[in-house]
Amino acid sequence: MSENILEDEFALFREAAKGTKKITQNTYVPKSEPRKKLQELRELKEKADIEFYFSDEYEPLLKEENEKVKYLREDVDPYILKQLRRGDFQPELFLDLHGLTREKAKKELAALILACEREKVFCASIMTGFGTRTLKDQIPRWLVQHPKIMALHQAPKEWGGDAAILILVEQPENPEKMFGR
């Protein structure tokens, strides 16, 4: 019985398709080589982004009151810095730089900023620790050189206190997430 139904359906289809002609396949399907080139370009761009050059010679004018480091990019509302100081922004990514060399720390900072851009993370925390204060003093000087850093401030106690820095990374595509709306 099922064979008859199947045969009837084929007969109906043949009747409906009567008078049509077969379409020839003339669509060009490119080889996969351009994709490889795009992948290589993407990898080169990522490598360049990760190796963002932070100068050791640059000495920014960082506002330090009571040894609390803070920075606000010129085009950013000053109230943002107050919110950052109070802990109104909750960091979504954390970077611990304990025990890293200066060069490795530079690469990790650049990778963190890149990750913030990719993941649309507005606030991140960088654990500098105390140690010899080499990284603790140098990291803010590096961060202010990056065009995506809007603000930075010594972290409130709940996010690491004096051993951490909170940063705000520019995210123009998603303003609602930036301000918690």
Side-chain angles (χ1 to χ4, degrees):
M1 186 160 151
S2 63
E3 290 180 24
N4 286 341
I5 293 174
L6 191 58
E7 193 59 40
D8 289 342
E9 288 177 4
F10 280 132
L12 284 173
F13 175 75
R14 280 189 226 103
E15 184 65 33
K18 215 181 253 185
T20 60
K21 64 179 184 178
K22 187 175 180 178
I23 299 175
T24 57
Q25 168 64 4
N26 61 357
T27 305
Y28 173 74
V29 179
K31 297 177 184 177
S32 62
E33 288 179 24
R35 288 187 183 151
K36 287 180 184 176
K37 287 181 183 178
L38 285 176
Q39 182 66 24
E40 288 172 10
L41 287 174
R42 186 177 299 125
E43 288 172 3
L44 286 174
K45 184 186 179 319
E46 286 177 8
K47 186 176 180 182
D49 287 342
I50 288 174
E51 293 178 357
F52 180 86
Y53 181 73
F54 292 110
S55 171
D56 290 329
E57 306 300 318
Y58 181 70
E59 284 292 331
L61 188 59
L62 290 170
K63 298 175 186 173
E64 293 185 25
E65 58 183 49
N66 302 333
E67 295 189 39
K68 301 266 188 222
V69 67
K70 61 183 177 178
Y71 161 78
L72 183 70
R73 202 171 65 195
E74 290 179 6
D75 62 336
V76 178
D77 182 3
Y79 186 67
I80 296 282
L81 194 60
K82 183 177 182 178
Q83 289 178 302
L84 192 60
R85 178 184 51 81
R86 289 190 317 212
D88 291 351
F89 296 105
Q90 181 174 351
E92 296 179 60
L93 287 179
F94 294 84
L95 175 63
D96 188 351
L97 298 175
H98 286 95
L100 297 184
T101 64
R102 289 169 67 100
E103 289 307 309
K104 183 69 175 160
K106 281 182 186 183
K107 289 181 180 180
E108 290 297 323
L109 279 177
L112 173 71
I113 296 167
L114 182 63
C116 286
E117 288 180 272
R118 276 196 193 137
E119 301 296 321
K120 309 251 185 289
V121 171
F122 184 58
C123 184
S125 175
I126 302 165
M127 295 294 294
T128 60
F130 295 107
T132 62
R133 296 189 61 93
T134 304
L135 288 179
K136 182 172 177 51
D137 293 340
Q138 190 61 45
I139 286 170
R141 293 182 183 119
W142 290 334
L143 288 170
V144 300
Q145 296 175 44
H146 201 288
K148 292 289 186 175
I149 300 298
M150 297 172 57
L152 65 85
H153 201 287
Q154 204 72 47
K157 287 192 192 273
E158 64 266 21
W159 302 118
D162 292 340
I165 296 172
L166 291 184
I167 62 170
L168 297 181
V169 181
E170 186 174 30
Q171 298 293 329
E173 301 93 37
N174 196 358
E176 293 83 25
K177 187 173 182 180
M178 287 182 357
F179 301 107
R181 294 182 189 149

